[in-house]
Amino acid sequence: MEPVTQQGDILLGGVFVVHSGFGFQQPTFQELPKPVLCTGFHIRYYRDVLGFIFAIDEVNKSPDLLPNVSLGFNLLDSCMSEVRAVGGALSLLSGVRNPFPGFDCHIPSFMVGIVGDLVSALSLPIARILGVLHYPQISHGATLSALSNKINFPSFLRTVPSNEFQNVALTQLIGRFGWTWVGMLIVDNDVGQQGGQAIQAGIERSGGCVAFLEKIHLSYSAKQVKRVVDAIKESSVSVVVLHSPEVHVKALFDVMFDEGVTGKIIISSASFGMTPGLFSKKAWNVLNGTVGLIPNTGIMPGFSDFLQNVHPTSNSTYPFIRLFWEKAFNCRWPGGDIGPGSSIAPDIKDKVFCTGTEEFGETTSLLFETNDLSYTYHAYLAVYAYAHALHSLLGCRTEDNRDSEPRACGSISDARPWKVLQYLKKTSFHTKSAEAVRFNSDGDLPAFYDVINIQILNNSFNLVKVGRFDPEVRWGDKVTLNTSAILWNGCFSCVPVSVCSASCRPGHRRAPRPGKPICCYDCVPCSVGEVANGTDADLCLRCPSDQWSNEERDRCVPRVTEFLSYEEPLGIMLVLMVLIFSSLTLCILLLFIKHQETPVIKATNRELSYILLASLILCFLCCLVFIGRPSTARCLLQQTLFSVVFSISISAVLAKTVMVILAFTATRLNSPLRKWLGPTIPRSIVGLCSMLQVGICSVWLHKAPPFPALNTESENHKIIIECNQGQKLFFYMTLGFMGFLALVSFMAAYLARNLPGSFNEAKLITFSMLVFCSVWLSFILAHLSTSGKYTVAAQIFAILASSAGLLTCIFLPKCYIILLRPEKNSREILAGGSKKNRNGG
């Protein structure tokens, strides 16, 4: 297809996508295929050409811009082919069909630059060639960020933003809806590869993951398209990021509909033109709910009227007008074959003919899809950029008086491409919507994007602006959205969820699944004592030592302090028991003192009985030191007082046992043991044993005394206030010494259990020590299985039980005789019983 020309003093070249495909003419025998066929005419793409022509007409009619200088154009359809685009660009520069690089055959006009192409993949090779030849190129749709490199592409400019900002916008858009698990479809070329990598990196930097990345191409076979659709269908993602021109995904969307894959949300980059006329009704169902970016669009006053007047008259200057008419009214021109650019279906070629009298009526806006003029507007801006640069270059001036003739510009021979390029780089003007246009050092315009939502309602295709991306916002979000205006595919107002794993609730942490992306994880409850007070926590935080985690593990709560107090029922019960037993022991002591001259009291060594009863009273009363909030004084007294008074008690029992043995042995005539029957031996035993225990306790208190401490380890949710025993060696030494005394007393009493005596003193001592040892062995087991205040309560109970055992077994039988059987409390009964026992009776 040859270039279309409109003459002018200065020419602008135009490389536009009008057809979406580029095929080959069938060769004859022994001929090579000829790449001449452009297929798939699209009105949406043709609208960009009309916007380009409309801008040139406006400049030519303007008295303020390039007065007395007319602009013309040379247009060529790239047919979405790199080969076609490069060859066409060289042809435009040469001015002849077969290009001659370095020759300019535009006589008498001058070609000063090119507008186009729409697609980055086509603009890229053109930019490399024009950069060498110093010809300016302004693209109205290429967003590839690599084109901003002025070393590689010194003559390239564009009126659309670089996709460097687009990638940021897509990442923020995805993050705004909380999507962390998305798929990606990219075009299979260098542009798609670079853009896809940048978008994927942005998604991953923001904490998201790409479940799959599939490449698509216009020439993919049905089998390859089916493979891509299967990858989308099998994935759990709800959102698919699309970075591809729309023509590459036509077949893909149709197959997705056939396979029932219509519930996915498409997030499109600016390279995807939201063109309803390009897609079938099947694809509409897939595209419904799509949210995408388009370059910011301004106003084009009068463009709608211009479109209304497009008509294929005999003197029409509109390029491709006959192909457009065939597409618009589904007809063909009489007398002509269906050409390579024709869009009419072959099965109706003999039934419908174009007359040229067809009317658009009210369908103009629907036919040209004027609800989205994004790329058309940027082609319009490109023409005005050239016009303002030429206006400055040629030194054009206009009279202040609008009724007078404008002054002529300079010689158009000065409009050489390399000069125009220099002026383009510094040109600045305002659009009709008062927006400033100025290329930066990279040849780009400010990066503003509109966020558009595709809404299919009542079988009509609607594009609704739902937000804006402004990278120059310093504070707040760069993306502003009206989420209530978005209609999603599958549901209207509910935002789709697209995550690999559901968010972990507070109290749980994320545990990555082996071999899976970081977005795929399991939610693991925090351990005891750890919390996570937010969703999707990576780590659980340890609570401070004075706090603990609640049952939900989402916050730390103060620990309950615990000690055995006087106010709680257990403490009250133990205090009552202490008072009862100590009072009973005191009563027995007073009873013994009152009846100290009776045979029963005398026969059991009343001095040792007094010592034993007094020590038992202290044993009962020392339990009070264990009750209450531990303090320094309490901790010093608890184990030491207990150890000393119990040592006195056990040593008194041991002395009693020894005296029973001596008393029986010393009754023989001429026994040398009679001299030891006095108070010396019991006093020595009690004194020596007591002093040994006092010595151990003194060293203990001097070296490592007990002290109050907070125990946070025994029970998770409690702080136990207890007495730390300091150096535990001394604690075990005191217990060991008492255990040694108890064992010796038990063995001695057991050996003497059959010695004669009226009141069976040795048997009573044996039984009392058996009870004592049994109680403390049980305490050891209870101490290992309890914690906190219950450990203290177990020790108090052991003290009470062992002391009560000594009191009951040794003294209650004597109290029974004194109070209830006084007739047995006589010397005769005592002597008789002893004699009877000695005679074996």
Side-chain angles (χ1 to χ4, degrees):
M1 195 174 290
E2 296 182 5
V4 180
T5 302
Q6 175 179 301
Q7 295 301 321
D9 297 327
I10 298 175
L11 297 180
L12 293 180
V15 181
F16 288 86
V17 173
V18 179
H19 292 80
S20 62
F22 184 61
F24 294 87
Q25 185 178 15
Q26 290 296 328
T28 59
F29 182 70
Q30 292 184 345
E31 287 184 354
L32 295 175
K34 299 179 180 180
V36 295
L37 300 181
C38 287
T39 60
F41 181 91
H42 291 289
I43 297 176
R44 159 64 189 84
Y45 295 150
Y46 181 57
R47 190 191 68 195
D48 295 346
V49 175
L50 296 177
F52 172 81
I53 298 173
F54 174 68
I56 290 178
D57 288 349
E58 278 194 342
V59 171
N60 287 337
K61 294 175 182 178
S62 172
D64 300 324
L65 195 58
L66 293 178
N68 294 328
V69 176
S70 64
L71 290 181
F73 60 79
N74 260 7
L75 287 176
L76 186 120
D77 180 9
S78 65
C79 297
M80 199 65 76
S81 166
E82 296 180 12
V83 174
R84 174 85 177 178
V86 172
L90 291 174
S91 177
L92 292 178
L93 298 184
S94 299
V96 292
R97 180 173 182 180
N98 294 320
F100 293 93
F103 290 87
D104 188 352
C105 300
H106 298 93
I107 305 291
S109 303
F110 294 93
M111 175 74 71
V112 297
I114 287 179
V115 174
D117 197 320
L118 174 69
V119 184
S120 296
L122 306 183
S123 296
L124 190 67
I126 298 175
R128 292 191 183 277
I129 295 173
L130 297 187
V132 174
L133 301 175
H134 303 291
Y135 264 86
Q137 172 192 3
I138 303 179
S139 172
H140 64 290
T143 60
L144 181 66
S145 59
L147 290 168
S148 296
N149 188 327
K150 294 301 105 179
I151 297 177
N152 296 330
F153 308 100
S155 65
F156 179 84
L157 301 96
R158 53 186 161 196
T159 55
V160 291
S162 162
N163 62 13
E164 175 184 356
F165 300 99
Q166 167 190 269
N167 300 337
V168 175
L170 282 175
T171 301
Q172 293 191 4
L173 190 63
I174 292 170
R176 177 67 64 86
F177 296 110
W179 298 325
T180 58
W181 187 239
V182 299
M184 285 189 65
L185 298 176
I186 64 172
V187 63
D188 189 12
N189 55 28
D190 291 343
V191 175
Q193 187 72 21
Q194 295 175 23
Q197 288 177 353
I199 295 171
Q200 181 177 7
I203 293 172
E204 292 176 350
R205 277 196 303 270
S206 63
C209 299
V210 175
F212 62 84
L213 193 152
E214 293 291 339
K215 299 177 182 179
I216 52 179
H217 196 272
L218 188 62
S219 61
Y220 268 12
S221 64
K223 182 178 180 181
Q224 291 171 315
V225 171
K226 180 66 165 54
R227 177 188 58 78
V228 175
V229 172
D230 289 341
I232 301 173
K233 185 176 182 179
E234 294 171 1
S235 175
S236 61
V237 301
S238 301
V239 175
V240 178
V241 179
L242 177 62
H243 181 59
S244 169
E246 57 275 19
V247 295
H248 292 76
V249 291
K250 289 173 53 181
L252 177 70
F253 287 161
D254 289 342
V255 176
M256 286 178 66
F257 177 82
D258 294 337
E259 294 290 328
V261 188
T262 58
K264 308 293 184 180
I265 300 298
I266 306 297
I267 304 298
S268 63
S269 67
S271 61
F272 176 78
M274 300 182 182
T275 309
L278 185 66
F279 300 106
S280 65
K281 296 293 183 179
K282 291 180 179 181
W284 282 20
N285 290 275
V286 178
L287 286 171
N288 189 22
T290 293
V291 176
L293 302 175
I294 61 172
N296 184 44
T297 305
I299 61 174
M300 298 171 62
F303 186 56
S304 295
D305 295 335
F306 176 82
L307 295 177
Q308 188 74 35
N309 295 324
V310 172
H311 198 274
T313 58
S314 58
N315 60 348
S316 175
T317 58
Y318 298 112
F320 315 112
I321 185 62
R322 294 174 70 84
L323 294 177
F324 161 70
W325 210 257
E326 287 184 347
K327 180 71 174 182
F329 296 102
N330 201 21
C331 63
R332 74 179 181 93
W333 294 100
D337 295 331
I338 300 177
S342 180
S343 302
I344 190 166
D347 60 342
I348 60 171
K349 63 182 179 179
D350 297 326
K351 299 180 182 180
V352 179
F353 294 97
C354 302
T355 65
T357 60
E358 292 86 356
E359 297 290 339
F360 295 132
E362 297 180 354
T363 64
T364 304
S365 60
L366 181 61
L367 182 65
F368 288 102
E369 304 171 19
T370 56
N371 54 353
D372 172 26
L373 293 175
S374 54
Y375 292 105
T376 303
Y377 173 74
H378 289 87
Y380 174 83
L381 282 184
V383 173
Y384 268 92
Y386 275 116
H388 281 277
L390 287 168
H391 190 89
S392 299
L393 171 62
L394 300 179
C396 301
R397 298 290 184 272
T398 56
E399 293 285 354
D400 294 335
N401 185 357
R402 298 294 180 187
D403 295 331
S404 62
E405 289 294 328
R407 295 179 183 176
C409 300
S411 174
I412 62 173
S413 62
D414 292 332
R416 311 309 294 176
W418 65 271
K419 289 184 178 181
V420 176
L421 177 60
Q422 297 304 317
Y423 276 84
L424 274 174
K425 292 180 178 179
K426 17 179 217 185
T427 190
S428 176
F429 64 96
H430 285 81
T431 65
K432 294 182 179 180
S433 56
E435 293 183 359
V437 176
R438 181 180 179 86
F439 295 104
N440 61 20
S441 59
D442 295 327
D444 300 334
L445 292 185
F448 299 106
Y449 288 100
D450 290 331
V451 182
I452 300 296
N453 179 219
I454 296 179
Q455 300 178 3
I456 311 297
L457 297 174
N458 299 323
N459 205 30
S460 64
F461 192 102
N462 301 288
L463 292 178
V464 179
K465 181 179 177 180
V466 295
R468 176 181 172 86
F469 171 75
D470 185 355
E472 297 184 358
V473 173
R474 294 187 178 182
W475 307 105
D477 292 331
K478 298 184 187 311
V479 175
T480 56
L481 284 176
N482 179 14
T483 54
S484 61
I486 300 176
L487 297 184
W488 302 100
N489 194 356
C491 63
F492 289 104
S493 59
C494 55
V495 179
V497 177
S498 188
V499 295
C500 182
S501 300
S503 294
C504 293
R505 303 190 310 273
H508 296 73
R509 64 175 177 85
R510 298 191 300 184
R513 296 174 183 170
K516 297 290 184 179
I518 60 172
C519 300
C520 301
Y521 49 81
D522 296 314
C523 295
V524 179
C526 292
S527 302
V528 176
E530 296 180 341
V531 296
N533 55 10
T535 58
D536 289 336
D538 292 321
L539 295 173
C540 295
L541 302 178
R542 191 77 182 175
C543 287
S545 59
D546 59 340
Q547 297 180 357
W548 200 248
S549 56
N550 59 353
E551 292 184 2
E552 292 77 19
R553 306 284 196 272
D554 59 358
R555 61 188 178 94
C556 294
V557 295
R559 293 196 192 198
V560 178
T561 56
E562 180 182 87
F563 59 90
L564 185 60
S565 67
Y566 289 103
E567 290 78 14
E568 60 182 302
L570 180 60
I572 294 173
M573 182 188 70
L574 292 175
V575 169
L576 289 177
M577 293 177 65
V578 168
L579 294 177
I580 291 173
F581 281 117
S582 58
S583 299
L584 178 61
T585 308
L586 179 61
C587 292
I588 293 175
L589 176 60
L590 295 176
L591 181 65
F592 270 50
I593 294 175
K594 181 179 179 181
H595 298 87
Q596 60 182 327
E597 299 300 331
T598 61
V600 170
I601 304 300
K602 290 182 177 181
T604 56
N605 199 327
R606 58 186 176 187
E607 183 176 342
L608 287 177
S609 297
Y610 295 157
I611 294 174
L612 181 56
L613 288 170
S615 63
L616 288 177
I617 293 175
L618 293 177
C619 287
F620 288 125
L621 293 178
C622 79
C623 295
L624 300 177
V625 182
F626 290 86
I627 304 174
R629 187 184 185 92
S631 61
T632 302
R634 287 180 181 274
C635 291
L636 292 175
L637 288 175
Q638 278 182 4
Q639 303 300 338
T640 54
L641 180 61
F642 155 71
S643 301
V644 172
V645 296
F646 254 82
S647 296
I648 295 174
S649 300
I650 300 172
S651 61
V653 173
L654 177 60
K656 271 182 168 290
T657 307
V658 171
M659 292 308 296
V660 168
I661 296 173
L662 288 176
F664 175 77
T665 307
T667 55
R668 299 173 183 173
L669 294 177
N670 300 323
S671 174
L673 299 176
R674 294 178 66 91
K675 60 181 179 179
W676 299 104
L677 292 178
T680 303
I681 289 182
R683 291 175 182 174
S684 300
I685 293 175
V686 174
L688 179 61
C689 294
S690 302
M691 291 307 298
L692 286 175
Q693 190 68 290
V694 168
I696 296 173
C697 293
S698 299
V699 176
W700 182 10
L701 296 179
H702 177 71
K703 293 292 184 181
F707 58 91
L710 302 179
N711 183 354
T712 60
E713 303 297 330
S714 297
E715 295 194 36
N716 294 332
H717 60 286
K718 296 179 181 179
I719 298 178
I720 301 173
I721 305 177
E722 62 183 10
C723 289
N724 188 301
Q725 306 305 330
Q727 181 58 263
K728 291 187 178 295
L729 175 63
F730 294 105
F731 174 68
Y732 295 134
M733 288 178 64
T734 57
L735 292 181
F737 183 73
M738 287 190 296
F740 172 74
L741 290 180
L743 184 61
V744 172
S745 298
F746 174 74
M747 293 180 63
Y750 180 78
L751 293 175
R753 68 187 185 281
N754 293 323
L755 293 178
S758 299
F759 304 106
N760 296 319
E761 185 76 1
K763 291 182 180 180
L764 296 178
I765 293 174
T766 302
F767 190 70
S768 66
M769 295 312 300
L770 180 62
V771 173
F772 183 90
C773 294
S774 300
V775 167
W776 284 102
L777 287 175
S778 301
F779 164 72
I780 293 173
L781 298 177
H783 183 274
L784 297 175
S785 59
T786 57
S787 61
K789 63 181 180 181
Y790 299 104
T791 302
V792 179
Q795 186 172 358
I796 294 175
F797 182 80
I799 294 173
L800 293 176
S802 58
S803 301
L806 292 176
L807 180 68
T808 302
C809 295
I810 296 178
F811 294 102
L812 283 187
K814 299 175 179 57
C815 293
Y816 171 77
I817 293 174
I818 294 173
L819 296 177
L820 301 180
R821 303 296 297 273
E823 68 278 5
K824 290 187 176 183
N825 190 7
S826 63
R827 185 178 293 274
E828 290 77 13
I829 296 297
L830 179 62
S834 301
K835 182 177 180 180
K836 184 177 179 180
N837 288 335
R838 284 194 299 268
N839 294 330

